[in-house]
Amino acid sequence: MRGRLFFLLLTFFTSPISAEEPPVAIALHGGAGTIERARMTPEQAMAYSRFLDEAIVEGHRQLKAGAVGLDVVVNIIQRMEDSPLFNAGRGAVYTWEGHHELDASIMHGAELDAGAVAGVTTVKSPIALARAVMERSPHVMLASRGAEQFAAEQGFEGVPEDYFDTERRQKALEAYKRARQAGLSPKPDYKFGTVGVAVLDTMGNLVAGTSTGGMTGKRWGRIGDAPVIGAGTYANNASCAVSATGHGEYFIRHTVARDVCARMELAGESLSQAADEVVNKTLVKAGGDGGIIAVDAKGNVALTFNTPGMYRASINASGEKVVGIFGDD
Ligand code: ASP
């Protein structure tokens, strides 16, 4: 990553890492895609970078204070789900029929516990529901009506579907439909906007989570990679925790999140090597746009993408902070 001062801030926290203090690390993304300076006002870019900065600092503070990784992943993702800036929770993209169908997943690297929901329409926080599937059901993935029923039984806050509405995503659907009707095959809102967080907590646990509205104009109950364990999300204490964003079909076919961890476990690659191989070689060759954020057991982080930009932030075990939006940040 090249350094541009405005959005890439390198900060060395004052408290040095001591032998008694276990390492912590956190990385997050708010989606990858055609995120370019020319397509954004400075005010918009500032709103994103400020949000990312505050979120990463808060997540890091919680980890330092000894919070468990699961809580931090859920807290920070909920912050992003509640913000209309991102394609998750409020601000989720529209389906072809003008609805919102939300997907999320979470995984804990100690025992490989995982939970996921797909195609939910009235659950305010899909990531919290994914965690409940992991902790309070015998299953890993629940979908649509059944997932909603489980949410109601678990006392989850329901919201009317218009809670997720935003004008910006409505316009994206209209543009998508116009292009389709003109016989073009548009790349659907290539700013993606899925959110994800990966952490190493003070207990040495790696946890990752991802939440999304999917892709603009999706139909027929399409489900992307975000709720698919091994594709959009993966965590294993033996290697790394990964959350992905991008064109989900490619991420499913190439089991992207698991592949990064598997390369570390089986081929002895470093986190950055593994991330680079999968995102910049395997996916590029296949034509799959997107990126990943990841944390390993030593607290190294990777923020790797093959698109013009990715909303991203991290603080590694040495306390180095990175916040970026564009490719050259
Ligand atoms: N990966 C998501 C999906 O395919 C989209 C995104 O990352 O924004 O559903």
Side-chain angles (χ1 to χ4, degrees):
M1 215 180 312
R2 284 148 281 166
R4 185 172 294 207
L5 228 81
F6 193 59
F7 293 117
L8 172 73
L9 311 166
L10 269 174
T11 305
F12 286 85
F13 282 72
T14 40
S15 59
I17 307 293
S18 72
E20 307 85 61
E21 241 181 281
V24 299
I26 178 166
L28 65 82
H29 69 78
T34 46
I35 302 162
E36 292 159 322
R37 281 201 172 75
R39 298 166 69 115
M40 238 192 219
T41 65
E43 292 73 30
Q44 285 170 326
M46 182 55 84
Y48 276 101
S49 56
R50 190 170 293 148
F51 187 102
L52 297 169
D53 196 328
E54 285 171 9
I56 206 73
V57 168
E58 173 58 17
H60 186 256
R61 187 196 65 72
Q62 291 179 12
L63 287 167
K64 279 286 209 192
V68 297
L70 274 176
D71 286 342
V72 178
V73 167
V74 171
N75 287 343
I76 302 304
I77 289 183
Q78 281 182 324
R79 220 179 149 115
M80 301 178 92
E81 287 177 335
D82 291 346
S83 164
L85 291 177
F86 304 99
N87 169 21
R90 202 153 80 84
V93 298
Y94 288 79
T95 64
W96 183 263
E97 287 82 15
H99 302 295
H100 306 281
E101 292 173 0
L102 312 172
D103 305 331
S105 67
I106 192 159
M107 185 163 186
H108 192 289
E111 303 289 340
L112 308 188
D113 290 327
V117 293
V120 295
T121 57
T122 60
V123 176
K124 186 176 179 214
S125 174
I127 193 65
L129 186 60
R131 180 179 183 171
V133 171
M134 175 174 84
E135 292 181 331
R136 299 189 233 152
S137 91
H139 307 300
V140 169
M141 188 190 276
L142 300 180
S144 49
R145 272 208 319 279
E148 304 272 351
Q149 190 185 333
F150 175 74
E153 285 171 17
Q154 294 293 324
F156 270 79
E157 185 182 354
V159 287
E161 225 203 299
D162 64 7
Y163 166 81
F164 302 109
D165 287 351
T166 52
E167 200 187 324
R168 170 184 171 201
R169 302 294 184 190
Q170 173 77 44
K171 287 200 171 125
L173 176 65
E174 285 159 14
Y176 178 77
K177 284 190 158 182
R178 270 198 306 277
R180 289 305 293 246
Q181 276 146 10
L184 305 167
S185 54
K187 291 195 162 191
D189 191 356
Y190 260 16
K191 282 188 228 78
F192 296 121
T194 290
V195 308
V197 177
V199 303
L200 169 67
D201 71 16
T202 51
M203 275 72 76
N205 287 316
L206 290 165
V207 183
T210 310
S211 182
T212 190
M215 289 173 80
T216 300
K218 65 184 182 179
R219 309 168 94 161
W220 309 302
R222 180 264 186 191
I223 293 167
D225 59 314
V228 178
I229 296 299
T233 303
Y234 198 76
N236 184 337
N237 282 1
S239 50
C240 63
V242 180
S243 170
T245 176
H247 197 153
E249 281 68 11
Y250 293 87
F251 284 67
I252 294 173
R253 287 196 281 258
H254 293 278
T255 58
V256 164
R258 166 64 187 153
D259 206 31
V260 174
C261 296
R263 284 179 165 277
M264 295 183 70
E265 281 163 49
L266 306 174
E269 292 181 3
S270 69
L271 179 65
S272 63
Q273 274 173 332
D276 185 54
E277 282 291 332
V278 176
V279 175
N280 290 323
K281 297 195 183 139
T282 309
L283 278 177
V284 166
K285 204 164 144 213
D289 294 340
I292 61 139
I293 52 104
V295 171
D296 74 13
K298 294 198 183 103
N300 298 306
V301 303
L303 309 168
T304 311
F305 51 101
N306 61 31
T307 44
M310 179 168 81
Y311 301 113
R312 60 197 184 277
S314 65
I315 299 178
N316 68 12
S318 309
E320 294 163 8
K321 182 173 76 169
V322 172
V323 178
I325 297 179
F326 307 111
D328 56 1
D329 279 337

